[in-house]
Amino acid sequence: MTTNLRLPGQPDELTLPALLARNAAEYGDLPALSWRGGPDAPDWTTLTWADVRRKVAVLASGYAALGIERGEHVLMMMGNRPEHWLSDLALVHLGAVPVTVYGTSAPEQIAHIARHSRARVAIVEGARELARWEPLLADDTVPLERLVVAEAADSGPHRTYGSLHASGARLHRPDAFEKAWQEARPEDPLTVVYTSGTTGDPKGVRLTHRNIMLQAVRLDRNTQLPEHAEHICYLPFAHIAERILGIYLPLLRAAHVRLVADPAAVAVAVRELHPVQFFGVPRVWEKLAASVRAVLAKLPQEQRQAIEAANDLVRTRAGHRERGEEVPAALEASYTRTKERVLDPLLVLAGLDRLQWTASATAPMPIDVVRFWAGWGVTIMDAWGLTETSGVCTVNSPDGFRLGSVGRPIEGLELKLAEDGEILTRGATVFAGYLRPDGSVESASDAEGWFPTGDIGRVDEDGYLWLTDRKKELIITSNGKNVSPALVENTVKEHPLIGQALVHGDGRSYLVALLVLDAELAPAWAAARGIEAVSLGALAEHLAVREEIARAVEAANARLNRTEQIKRYRLLTEEWGPESGELTPSLKLRRRVVREKYGALIDGLYEDPYEAS
């Protein structure tokens, strides 16, 4: 276990407020939260753990004055800024349930979450968010009553975070605050995370203090870090990964969170801070690798050859560790000498020289990227899990890893494979069920407690899990974002010209689509505009049709969030059908068949410089 810190109770009886009370009492002078105020305030502002608890107590009083009650959902749409982090903790201390909404969410998705969660209050960042939230206040189907705005200049008629904090300072009663958080129970909900469903509507995953605390304790046991280590926090809090790594684990470890408001600035933060731990979704590791390769390409040939030889030697050492073998003494000595002389100078420039624990999850990590970093002595510990399992189910660790696998189950979690290879899991970190609109939960596990993950895999002889396919159709981009292809496809197919669509983007940084004209409606649309064509193929080549398809995609994108938007597409000339294999006899889309048949076209959409063809 990384931390030897005293726990204020048994792991399955912990609550988040109890951890904050311990941190303030025993580690009150240690740094807890740091952030930059922007271009006009480039220096870091830091709160200690004692400061954090005082701020949380004041904010809890302010939110209580708004009428927020125990068990009530409160929505938040803010970036990685202190108002978000501190409000999350303050709401938990009241017994309320914070629910973070992705900042890229489309208005229809925000309305669904507001309606489904029955939230009366939302806390948003500024003007950009208000444009999507204010219309909900006049929507009779949405129970939303009030908005709190973090940026005072953009608040308009709404309550500001600053005024709420000020009222909390006036109204704060220490005895009421202490009484409120001590009423928290391990079985109480700690948060609800909305995750994309295959039907398109986000599903609410309700996670309890017990789910999350056990996840944090067990994940902590799979890392080897100095106590109170810094964490660079840049991923959205709407994602379970950053909620675990950026809120819950730091509370357990009394660690130091560095908030990076702009995810694009994370490489700059790494170069400045030289962290001992770093978590990145595959796309982040890909970008970092590309940056290193770009630097190498500019070096003299002799220096490049020396670095490549060093990479090979370091990978050889990693191979011994991966197989659980003792590294030969001569190789270990050569590794130490070579890394210090050849590789460390470049790692220092990138801020990666102090890394002791590096990890990835949320999407499959390309093995070539894993091998690249292994050549620099950076072993990326890939993990696998879901929101429904409170984060990771399996994880590689320094004590045992297989590059390319997603590791072995964490303590207390059981795995088994169904007949079709689907991975089933059960344990105390698996959620009780999806939130219903009436506040109850609907179980997604069978009578024996097994939850079907939708992923297909195999387990090797050493107990490591290898993902081989995805039973569910959910797309996970290289940025770790979940996308329902059915939602995107159905949105674009609402235009009468488009009869069939396939969206692709698994493991990629953006979505592309294959589109097929509607065999019945497209000719009628063309005829009404005086366009003569003898086939769908001829129509697909007509300039007026192509321009209308471009407008249809643009209109669909306007209704989708950025992650879901189609960046490039190809309009095909032939309809899909059962005879040609793209559809089942019941006319369901065979995604794998389409991807295989049009693989070259799909790959071209990630290479060609056009956005429509």
Side-chain angles (χ1 to χ4, degrees):
M1 186 172 182
T2 295
T3 179
N4 293 314
L5 277 61
R6 178 193 65 82
L7 292 179
Q10 294 300 313
D12 63 347
E13 294 298 321
L14 291 177
T15 66
L16 204 67
L19 288 179
L20 182 57
R22 178 207 62 179
N23 292 353
E26 300 184 19
Y27 309 101
D29 293 336
L30 292 181
L33 187 70
S34 296
W35 68 92
R36 282 197 167 104
D40 298 331
D43 296 331
W44 291 96
T45 297
T46 297
L47 299 178
T48 66
W49 280 110
D51 295 332
V52 164
R53 195 164 192 267
R54 283 192 290 268
K55 285 273 190 182
V56 166
V58 167
L59 283 172
S61 298
Y63 286 119
L66 283 183
I68 292 174
E69 300 175 349
R70 180 171 298 277
E72 183 174 357
H73 298 126
V74 178
L75 305 182
M76 293 190 287
M77 182 182 278
M78 293 178 281
N80 294 31
R81 53 190 297 159
E83 296 91 341
H84 195 160
W85 199 88
L86 294 167
S87 291
D88 201 294
L89 294 184
L91 292 168
V92 169
H93 278 70
L94 286 178
V97 185
V99 182
T100 300
V101 182
Y102 280 110
T104 56
S105 296
E108 293 176 4
Q109 294 169 319
I110 297 171
H112 168 78
I113 292 173
R115 191 178 296 115
H116 186 267
S117 66
R118 299 174 298 137
R120 297 184 300 116
V121 177
I123 313 162
V124 301
E125 185 158 323
R128 189 173 67 90
E129 292 73 26
L130 280 175
R132 286 172 285 171
W133 286 86
E134 282 183 322
L136 300 182
L137 295 173
D139 187 336
D140 292 339
T141 69
V142 177
L144 195 66
E145 299 173 1
R146 172 169 284 181
L147 300 177
V148 176
V149 185
E151 296 177 351
D154 298 328
S155 63
H158 307 291
R159 186 73 177 271
T160 67
Y161 174 90
S163 67
L164 183 140
H165 185 278
S167 68
R170 291 193 306 271
L171 299 171
H172 176 57
R173 290 174 47 218
D175 56 338
F177 172 74
E178 300 295 340
K179 180 177 183 295
W181 79 257
Q182 290 178 17
E183 291 177 2
R185 297 291 176 263
E187 61 272 15
D188 290 343
L190 175 58
T191 188
V192 171
V193 179
Y194 276 86
T195 183
S196 300
T198 55
T199 60
D201 284 336
K203 293 183 178 180
V205 176
R206 190 170 78 175
L207 300 171
T208 65
H209 288 262
R210 179 174 286 127
N211 291 145
I212 295 295
M213 292 295 96
L214 285 174
Q215 171 72 223
V217 169
R218 292 168 179 177
L219 182 57
D220 184 62
R221 290 172 180 166
N222 284 275
T223 60
Q224 297 175 2
L225 286 171
E227 290 187 351
H228 316 295
E230 288 186 341
H231 169 68
I232 296 177
C233 174
Y234 67 98
L235 295 171
F237 286 126
H239 199 294
I240 188 62
E242 194 63 273
R243 295 197 74 79
I244 293 291
L245 297 173
I247 301 177
Y248 307 133
L249 263 175
L251 264 291
L252 175 72
R253 293 170 169 166
H256 184 190
V257 177
R258 296 267 190 175
L259 296 174
V260 177
D262 180 6
V266 66
V268 175
V270 170
R271 286 197 296 271
E272 176 191 356
L273 299 173
H274 296 257
V276 297
Q277 63 168 329
F278 185 73
F279 176 89
V281 297
R283 184 62 178 162
V284 170
W285 288 113
E286 290 170 4
K287 287 182 176 181
L288 290 173
S291 298
V292 173
R293 289 185 173 116
V295 171
L296 295 179
K298 298 176 182 178
L299 297 178
Q301 181 178 1
E302 183 178 350
Q303 189 176 359
R304 287 203 310 272
Q305 290 175 340
I307 291 172
E308 290 169 359
N311 292 152
D312 289 340
L313 183 146
V314 174
R315 288 191 192 97
T316 300
R317 175 184 179 272
H320 284 281
R321 294 183 60 227
E322 183 178 4
R323 294 186 295 271
E325 302 169 352
E326 184 176 350
V327 180
L331 175 59
E332 185 67 24
S334 181
Y335 159 80
T336 301
R337 185 169 56 251
T338 301
K339 188 171 182 298
E340 289 178 352
R341 294 177 180 176
V342 181
L343 300 182
D344 280 353
L346 285 171
L347 289 172
V348 167
L349 293 176
L352 303 174
D353 53 302
R354 298 177 59 233
L355 286 175
Q356 298 182 32
W357 182 78
T358 51
S360 183
T362 76
M365 171 68 80
I367 189 63
D368 65 308
V369 177
V370 176
R371 296 293 179 190
F372 172 83
W373 285 111
W376 290 84
V378 177
T379 305
I380 300 173
M381 300 297 172
D382 213 356
W384 166 79
L386 303 90
T387 304
E388 290 88 342
T389 59
S390 308
V392 300
C393 294
T394 62
V395 62
N396 285 286
S397 70
D399 291 333
F401 63 92
R402 295 289 185 276
L403 299 183
S405 83
V406 291
R408 292 182 287 198
I410 63 171
E411 176 190 348
L413 195 81
E414 298 178 82
L415 292 183
K416 75 173 182 178
L417 301 181
E419 291 184 3
D420 61 357
E422 182 176 9
I423 306 164
L424 309 180
T425 184
R426 70 178 178 185
T429 53
V430 178
F431 77 140
Y434 293 107
L435 186 68
R436 294 189 181 106
D438 65 0
S440 63
V441 295
E442 179 180 0
S443 175
S445 301
D446 66 17
E448 296 180 344
W450 291 103
F451 172 68
T453 66
D455 287 323
I456 293 176
R458 64 178 178 86
V459 179
D460 67 20
E461 62 275 9
D462 295 318
Y464 290 88
L465 179 66
W466 301 75
L467 300 182
T468 58
D469 207 342
R470 183 168 293 108
K471 185 174 181 179
K472 56 189 178 182
E473 296 178 346
L474 202 64
I475 291 172
I476 303 180
T477 69
S478 64
N479 297 311
K481 301 294 182 62
N482 292 351
V483 177
S484 165
L487 170 65
V488 182
E489 290 157 0
N490 290 338
T491 301
V492 76
K493 285 193 299 181
E494 289 183 13
H495 192 285
L497 269 182
I498 302 174
Q500 297 171 316
L502 177 130
V503 172
H504 178 82
D506 215 35
R508 300 281 196 166
S509 59
Y510 59 86
L511 301 189
V512 300
L514 301 178
L515 307 177
V516 181
L517 293 176
D518 190 290
E520 296 179 5
L521 297 179
W525 183 94
R529 289 157 180 79
I531 300 172
E532 296 183 5
V534 295
S535 67
L536 282 183
L539 274 180
E541 298 295 337
H542 197 283
L543 179 59
V545 173
R546 293 162 67 84
E547 289 176 342
E548 184 65 19
I549 291 296
R551 286 190 287 269
V553 173
E554 183 179 1
N557 281 342
R559 298 174 52 200
L560 299 167
N561 70 45
R562 287 198 298 272
T563 305
E564 296 165 340
Q565 290 171 357
I566 298 168
K567 302 302 182 186
R568 297 177 179 174
Y569 64 89
R570 177 64 64 89
L571 183 60
L572 304 182
T573 58
E574 296 180 359
E575 189 179 27
W576 297 332
E579 298 79 13
S580 51
E582 297 95 344
L583 303 183
T584 68
S586 60
L587 304 183
K588 294 179 181 177
L589 188 63
R590 285 177 165 154
R591 296 182 180 276
R592 186 179 299 177
V593 171
V594 176
R595 285 194 293 264
E596 291 174 355
K597 185 173 183 178
Y598 297 96
L601 280 181
I602 292 172
D603 289 341
L605 291 172
Y606 289 99
E607 299 168 0
D608 295 343
Y610 53 76
E611 289 197 358
S613 172

